[in-house]
């Protein structure tokens, strides 16, 4: 009954908007998968039927959307909305004034994952409605680990060591990959940029504090103290070991699930347990895609209604079934709880930290990645020296 009332209310609001002044919305989309393209067309048709507003979908490569929008929007030549944009370009677009703050169009945010909402927030304002997200999590082989991933660090290490040897591995991750291992940094109180109420302070880089030292020290231990992650292990090497059935636990994201399913591995997905002595739980980086509005559009109210329809529970459930994306609608996740990918990665996303959405992040990746790689090249490296040098380079590169 409640769902019917909500659906009828949405249809009524769309119809009222349509009766007021019919519009033609131009939507830029980067979707190329046939099922996802058909999903968007179906959503547009439903919206048009309810509102009377027509929708024209234009395919634009994802890597071209931000620059094209910056160039075309002020001239009145851009789209009314974009489906979808990753948050890593959000700050640039917001600072350039080409995307519309959406707070005034949203009456309730309770069904949307808080991490995803944070990712779409820049300088305290919501600049996009999140639609799907991704993060890393621990994928485990149920045959090798029937009890699942232990929920304490000591038990996790023991389980990993018990499955290591004779050509098999208990736990693998690319230790040189800063993105994949950010959850450890966050657990120990390290951060990229300090978040002050939804505004990132790019002058406060927390990648060389005491927590960062602890994070890379633990990563070094995974290789040299616990003897779990040999040198030369890349993401592809780790995935191959897992799909071959020789690995109990792997840290990776939804992008590898196709190969894992194809290999026929009976898998589960869980969060990494809290690291030893950490002040918080493991919190991996989260990447979010959202729907954004053109600040220069003459159809912003009508576009906002379509945007809200696209991130509704029913729409996100259908979108997941079309392409497998992890929804950020909490009720959609409940509807899809039988899917271990949605269930497992949904929990990791909710526990995660949004990747910074400011342009200054471009100055971070290189120095930080090099520092992480150096920290696991030999036992007991000089972590403070390595990280201090990286942060000094980051600060000098931020303009």
């Amino acid at each position: 009954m409640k769902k019917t009332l909500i659906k009828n209310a949405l249809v009524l609001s769309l119809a009222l908007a349509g009766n007021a002044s019919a519009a033609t919305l131009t939507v830029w989309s980067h979707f190329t998968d046939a099922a996802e393209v058909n999903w968007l067309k179906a959503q547009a048709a439903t919206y048009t039927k309810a509102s009377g507003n027509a929708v024209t979908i234009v395919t634009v490569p994802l890597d071209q959307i931000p620059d094209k929008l910056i160039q075309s929007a002020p001239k009145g030549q851009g789209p009314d909305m974009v489906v979808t944009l990753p948050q890593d370009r959000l700050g640039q677009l917001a600072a350039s004034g080409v995307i519309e703050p959406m707070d005034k169009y949203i009456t309730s945010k309770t069904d949307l994952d808080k991490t995803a909402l944070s990712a779409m927030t820049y300088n305290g304002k919501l600049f996009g409605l999140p639609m799907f997200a991704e993060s890393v999590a621990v994928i485990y082989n149920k045959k090798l680990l029937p009890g699942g991933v232990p929920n304490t660090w000591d038990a996790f290490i023991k389980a990993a060591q018990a499955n290591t040897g004779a050509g098999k591995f208990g736990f693998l991750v690319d230790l040189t990959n800063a993105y994949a291992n950010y959850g450890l940094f966050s657990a120990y109180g390290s951060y990229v940029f300090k978040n002050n109420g939804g505004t990132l302070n790019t002058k406060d880089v927390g990648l060389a504090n005491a927590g960062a030292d602890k994070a890379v020290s633990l990563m070094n231990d995974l290789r040299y103290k616990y003897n779990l992650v040999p040198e030369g292990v890349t993401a592809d090497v780790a995935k191959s070991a897992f799909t071959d059935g020789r690995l109990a636990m792997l840290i990776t994201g939804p992008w590898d699930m196709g190969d894992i399913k194809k290999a026929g591995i009976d898998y589960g997905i869980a969060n990494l347990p809290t690291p030893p002595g950490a002040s918080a739980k493991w919190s991996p980086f989260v990447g979010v895609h959202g729907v954004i509005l053109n600040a220069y559009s003459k159809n912003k109210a009508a576009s906002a209604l379509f945007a809200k329809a696209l991130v509704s529970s029913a729409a996100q459930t259908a979108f997941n079934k079309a392409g497998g994306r992890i929804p950020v609608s909490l009720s959609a996740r409940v509807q899809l709880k039988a899917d271990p990918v949605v269930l497992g990665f949904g929990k990791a996303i909710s526990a995660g930290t949004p990747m910074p959405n400011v342009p200054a992040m471009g100055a971070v990746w290189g120095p930080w990645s090099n520092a992480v790689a150096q920290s696991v090249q030999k036992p007991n490296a000089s972590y403070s020296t390595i990280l201090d040098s990286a942060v000094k380079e980051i600060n000098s590169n931020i303009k």
Side-chain angles (χ1 to χ4, degrees):
M1 183 66 177
K2 184 177 180 181
K3 291 182 179 178
T4 301
L5 290 174
I6 293 173
K7 182 178 180 182
N8 289 342
L10 176 61
V11 171
L12 178 61
S13 66
L14 290 171
L16 290 174
N19 291 335
S21 57
T24 297
L25 307 184
T26 298
V27 176
W28 281 2
S29 172
H30 61 86
F31 297 158
T32 55
D33 177 81
E36 293 186 343
V37 170
N38 289 335
W39 170 85
L40 182 57
K41 289 180 178 178
Q43 296 298 316
T46 299
Y47 169 80
T48 296
K49 184 177 180 180
S51 69
N53 298 323
V55 177
T56 300
I57 300 171
V58 179
T59 301
V60 180
L62 179 58
D63 61 348
Q64 296 181 21
I65 288 177
D67 292 337
K68 282 181 175 290
L69 186 60
I70 290 173
Q71 294 166 7
S72 62
K75 302 175 183 177
Q77 300 172 351
D80 293 290
M81 55 191 290
V82 175
V83 181
T84 57
L85 187 86
Q87 96 263 24
D88 61 349
R89 298 296 294 271
L90 192 76
Q92 176 194 13
L93 295 176
S96 67
V98 297
I99 58 177
E100 176 78 359
M102 299 188 69
D103 300 273
K104 64 182 178 183
Y105 301 106
I106 310 302
T107 56
S108 176
K109 304 173 185 176
T110 56
D111 187 47
L112 296 174
D113 187 293
K114 291 182 179 179
T115 302
L117 283 168
S118 178
M120 288 285 130
T121 300
Y122 175 77
N123 284 350
K125 295 181 179 179
L126 184 69
F127 277 95
L129 289 185
M131 201 168 88
F132 60 89
E134 63 183 19
S135 72
V136 297
V138 182
I139 320 298
Y140 65 95
N141 185 324
K142 290 185 176 181
K143 181 179 179 180
L144 300 178
L145 208 65
V149 177
N151 57 17
T152 67
W153 188 260
D154 287 345
F156 169 80
I157 292 297
K158 288 179 181 178
Q161 290 177 330
N163 280 280
T164 299
K168 293 186 177 182
F169 304 92
F171 172 72
L172 291 179
V173 63
D174 181 356
L175 289 174
T176 68
N177 188 313
Y179 166 85
N181 293 287
Y182 177 77
L184 297 176
F185 282 82
S186 183
Y188 283 115
S190 175
Y191 50 87
V192 179
F193 302 122
K194 189 69 172 180
N195 190 327
N196 298 315
T199 298
L200 297 178
N201 182 1
T202 59
K203 294 183 179 180
D204 186 347
V205 179
L207 294 175
N209 61 15
D213 288 353
K214 291 178 181 178
V216 291
S217 176
L218 182 63
M219 291 163 62
N220 189 283
D221 284 347
L222 288 170
R223 172 161 291 164
Y224 299 110
K225 179 181 178 180
Y226 302 123
N227 298 312
L228 293 174
V229 186
E231 294 181 31
V233 171
T234 64
D236 286 340
V237 168
K239 181 178 70 172
S240 294
F242 193 84
T243 55
D244 288 345
R246 298 182 293 111
L247 172 60
M249 294 179 283
L250 163 73
I251 285 188
T252 191
W255 49 85
D256 278 336
M257 294 313 301
D259 290 335
I260 290 171
K261 290 178 179 179
K262 186 177 180 180
I265 302 294
D266 185 11
Y267 67 88
I269 303 174
N271 287 1
L272 194 72
T274 302
S279 58
K281 293 183 178 181
W282 177 76
S283 182
F285 259 156
V286 176
V288 180
H289 272 244
V291 183
I292 62 172
L293 305 186
N294 182 346
Y296 291 87
S297 168
K298 296 179 180 178
N299 302 309
K300 284 182 278 194
S303 297
L305 284 173
F306 188 32
K308 287 191 286 186
L310 291 177
V311 304
S312 68
S313 177
Q316 288 200 26
T317 300
F319 189 57
N320 168 266
K321 292 180 178 179
R325 311 272 193 175
I326 313 299
V328 298
S329 161
L330 301 180
S331 54
R333 288 182 188 168
V334 172
Q335 292 293 318
L336 297 163
K337 64 182 179 181
D339 184 337
V341 175
V342 172
L343 181 65
F345 283 112
K347 290 179 179 179
I349 290 165
S350 292
T353 301
M355 281 192 297
N357 57 17
V358 292
M361 188 62 191
V364 174
W365 287 116
W368 182 35
S369 296
N370 290 336
V372 168
Q374 290 177 43
S375 297
V376 295
Q377 283 181 348
K378 62 181 181 180
N380 302 312
S382 181
Y383 310 121
S384 294
T385 301
I386 293 171
L387 293 172
D388 285 345
S389 177
V391 169
K392 183 177 180 180
E393 184 179 352
I394 289 169
N395 286 328
S396 68
N397 289 341
I398 293 176
K399 301 184 187 297

